[in-house]
Amino acid sequence: MQAPPVAAVPRDIKIEQLSMVFYGRGEPVIALDKIDMNVAAGQFAAIIGPSGCGKSTLLRLVADIMQPFAGSISLGGESPRLARHAHSLGFVFQSPTLLPWRSVKQNIELPLDVVGRGSSKRSTRTTKDLIDLVGLNGFEDALPHQLSGGMQQRVAIARALVLTPDILLLDEPFGALDEITRQRMNLELLRIWAESGTTALLVTHSIAEAVFMSDRVYVMSARPGRVTTIIDVPLPRPRGLAMMRTPEFFDCVNRVRDGLFGNEQGGAPARGEPIEAY
Amino acid sequence: MTAALAASHKIARASWRPLLTGAVLIGLAEAAKHANLLPVFVPSPSEVVMEIWNSPRLVTENLAPTAWKSAMGYFIAAAIAMTAGSIAVSVRAVYGPIYNFGVIIHSIPIIATAPLLALWLGTGPQVQIAIAALASQFPMLVGTMQGLQAADARQRELMHVLSASRVQTLWMLLIPSALPYLFAGLKIAAPSAVLGAITAEWAGADRGVGAMMLYALFSYDTPKVWLSVFLTCFLAAAGFGIWALIERLVVTWQRDVEIAD
């Protein structure tokens, strides 16, 4: 289980002046407005913001699921499309998104079936290691409909780790889990991330989770989606639960909270208020 | 072996209620006939069974032609409907036209087209095969079209992020998601093929359950009419049942989707 996995190729995420517009009925909706982001290779970054701020859209643009309206995304100098074709991207969706006819084991191995079992991207962790890791021993042959929602999401996380992604995109992956499992999964995720050198981008609703996990937190506002604040988290790694009691941790949490809601006393910009930075 | 045993137990558990209901209804009909509660033209179930006993060749000689003609038409329809459905889903421009064409064929009154087709195609089995195909195509077309679109957007995105090829996506995602819908279409279409073939036999056929039905009607032989009704039900139910069984063995992860047209 402790065998060192295949190291990821270091890729940074460089996002410049990225905008996304949705045309529906009525007025076009500006989902993302001139987003700039810079996540160094091997860094863990979190995006936090209110619902509808376009953070999921941003992740899907990085994953080449959608094409941007304007601006550019570079993943280690390559376009998202090239990175995707190189099987460099891992994506964990909000919902487990398992294939209902595949057993737990077969769902975890889906990326191997697509990429080929001999792929150089294949993690040295065996399927059994991954099942151990997400605590699903004895459920190898169960079908998804026999599992609880939290167990299904753990299968989805194991599936994202069966290849070693250069860039791991996490769209509120633990939202459906109970607090205990969530904390355990976070710790495991951090351990795997530290081992593999993967660049990670996490979308979350939880301030504590954003701070606990990442080196840098991007705070976004809604309608139009903009990055309002960038908070660096200088907390030492490896991080454990004890760190969550330190004043440094609370300081970071408070700074993210101020970024999200504005400093009420100080009259800093509130959520949704336009910030003219250009 | 144990799997087969388990499956047969499952089938026994699932079928004892309908079997019991049928037995009770038949018993009631028999009793009602003996108590003279039923009109003259309704025979008792035992009289219908006696028809099979008295002339078994009547059954075999008429059941077999109808069965193979229905099956032939049904499989031709299945092949065409699944091909057309797949094309409709992959080429957006022809989706509407193919669907509408299916609806129009489905709306044609078979009783009127059977004689016309007999004029065009001659009076051989080809007419019954063609009518069986026309009568059964629609559920299979709709099943294919709905089924191939059944995979949800997240699942498609998952395959996309994995950079799966079109063939991989088809094989690993689209076809398995389509199976419950395909089976629903295949099940619903089977009785339609049998009814289509029988209706077509009315327009001219020397053998077949439909021909037997017609002769029996014209000679006021009510037990034989009822026998032909029974044989029709048997064929239609068998066609449905075979697919229901295969579905049970293949689709273990999901039950009973609805086909909405």
Side-chain angles (χ1 to χ4, degrees), chain A residues 60 64-65 84-85 87 89 91 93 95 97-101 110-111 113-114 145 159, chain B residues 152 154-155 157-165 168 172-174 176-177 252-254:
Chain A
R60 294 147 76 81
D64 191 40
I65 293 170
R84 178 170 66 81
H85 285 319
H87 304 295
L89 305 179
F91 202 112
F93 295 91
S95 58
T97 318
L98 304 178
L99 302 186
W101 49 90
L110 175 75
D113 290 341
V114 172
H145 72 85
R159 179 181 61 196
Chain B
D152 73 41
R154 290 292 162 280
Q155 292 173 329
E157 286 170 8
L158 171 72
M159 296 305 279
H160 177 82
V161 173
L162 287 171
S163 197
S165 69
Q168 283 176 326
M172 294 182 194
L173 176 62
L174 300 183
S177 329
T252 51
W253 64 90
Q254 191 180 5

Side-chain angles (χ1 to χ4, degrees), chain A residues 124-203:
Chain A
T124 48
R125 288 170 201 279
T126 62
T127 309
K128 201 191 161 306
D129 293 340
L130 288 166
I131 288 171
D132 284 343
L133 181 72
V134 294
L136 286 173
N137 284 312
F139 292 95
E140 290 84 351
D141 297 318
L143 289 172
H145 72 85
Q146 298 166 313
L147 305 178
S148 72
M151 289 160 94
Q152 292 185 19
Q153 191 63 17
R154 275 137 70 190
V155 175
I157 288 156
R159 179 181 61 196
L161 299 173
V162 75
L163 301 176
T164 304
D166 301 342
I167 291 176
L168 185 57
L169 302 164
L170 304 148
D171 191 359
E172 294 177 44
F174 305 130
L177 300 188
D178 62 273
E179 196 55 40
I180 303 160
T181 317
R182 183 174 186 152
Q183 198 52 255
R184 237 194 59 219
M185 294 306 301
N186 276 340
L187 284 166
E188 285 301 339
L189 186 61
L190 275 187
R191 209 166 58 77
I192 294 161
W193 163 80
E195 275 178 12
S196 61
T198 294
T199 312
L201 193 54
L202 168 78
V203 163

Side-chain angles (χ1 to χ4, degrees), chain A residues 11-12 73-84 86 88 166:
Chain A
R11 279 181 196 265
D12 61 343
I73 302 171
S74 151
L75 307 176
E78 286 183 341
S79 69
R81 169 150 302 163
L82 281 174
R84 178 170 66 81
S88 300
D166 301 342

Side-chain angles (χ1 to χ4, degrees), chain B residues 24-59:
Chain B
V24 167
L25 285 177
I26 289 170
L28 281 176
E30 189 73 37
K33 184 67 183 180
H34 284 294
N36 283 322
L37 292 172
L38 294 182
V40 189
F41 49 83
V42 181
S44 71
S46 62
E47 283 176 82
V48 177
V49 175
M50 282 313 284
E51 282 298 319
I52 308 179
W53 188 257
N54 291 336
S55 42
R57 287 188 54 204
L58 185 74
V59 175

